[in-house]
Amino acid sequence: MQSNILINTFSVVIPTHNSVSFIDNALNSVLSQNRKPDEVIIVDDGSKDDTILYIQNHFMSLFLKKNIKLNLISNGHFGPGKTRNDGIKASNSEWICFLDSDDEWHSHKIKEIEKAIEEDRNINFFCHYEKFIKLDGRIKINEYGKNYNKN
């Protein structure tokens, strides 16, 4: 992370790898936030399907219209850990939100996080439940956050 961190700001870090056929939902869910992020950092992990070119051609103008800074980083294929870490290093925000390229958010996600931060500035980490909708329509909830508490 850079030393000029902006307080009360949010970066969305999206690691990608050959995501051109499914990244639309992720990016549209960021664009539809009722509290827009301050920047979106997409770090491509050596895709062979022109993911970055697709984003430039289909989403760059949409982010510009919403006045959301979009930073595209292309890497070799090093895996998701390095890809996420490169996104963190490129961030100028106080808060980093990870969104995988095959996931999507509810439109109020960032606003709810911001509200929780304002209620307790000692919180420094959030872990959410995750809803999986399987191809056959079945829904599975992973309750990641239930094992954490404020202490």
Side-chain angles (χ1 to χ4, degrees):
M1 225 177 308
Q2 299 178 7
S3 61
N4 56 343
I5 301 300
L6 302 173
I7 304 300
N8 295 326
T9 55
F10 294 85
S11 292
V12 179
V13 173
I14 305 174
T16 66
H17 179 71
N18 292 333
S19 303
V20 75
S21 65
F22 51 82
I23 197 166
D24 287 21
N25 288 346
L27 297 179
N28 284 322
S29 76
V30 172
L31 287 165
S32 70
Q33 291 297 302
N34 59 10
R35 194 285 190 200
K36 70 180 181 177
D38 299 282
E39 65 181 349
V40 175
I41 303 163
I42 300 174
V43 186
D44 187 68
D45 189 38
S47 291
K48 302 291 186 213
D49 68 352
D50 293 323
T51 297
I52 292 293
L53 183 62
Y54 177 80
I55 294 166
Q56 289 171 330
N57 290 337
H58 294 90
F59 284 93
M60 187 68 82
S61 63
L62 297 173
F63 279 90
L64 285 172
K65 283 179 189 173
K66 295 250 183 176
N67 200 28
I68 300 170
K69 179 184 173 191
L70 181 60
N71 184 358
L72 302 174
I73 301 170
S74 294
N75 282 345
H77 186 50
F78 298 108
K82 180 175 180 356
T83 303
R84 285 184 182 90
N85 286 337
D86 287 349
I88 292 168
K89 290 175 188 171
S91 172
N92 291 309
S93 297
E94 180 181 23
W95 291 92
I96 297 170
C97 309
F98 292 108
L99 174 62
D100 287 347
S101 60
D102 61 344
D103 291 342
E104 59 186 278
W105 287 341
H106 288 285
S107 62
H108 56 275
K109 180 207 171 54
I110 296 175
K111 189 169 191 71
E112 289 295 320
I113 295 295
E114 185 175 51
K115 180 180 167 190
I117 292 166
E118 289 170 0
E119 289 173 4
D120 185 350
R121 289 299 294 179
N122 292 316
I123 293 174
N124 62 11
F125 175 84
F126 291 90
C127 185
H128 304 282
Y129 286 14
E130 191 170 30
K131 179 168 61 172
F132 288 93
I133 302 173
K134 304 208 180 234
L135 293 176
D136 64 4
R138 289 181 299 140
I139 295 174
K140 178 184 177 199
I141 305 291
N142 281 350
E143 298 176 339
Y144 300 121
K146 75 178 183 178
N147 296 318
Y148 294 93
N149 62 44
K150 283 188 164 188
N151 298 323

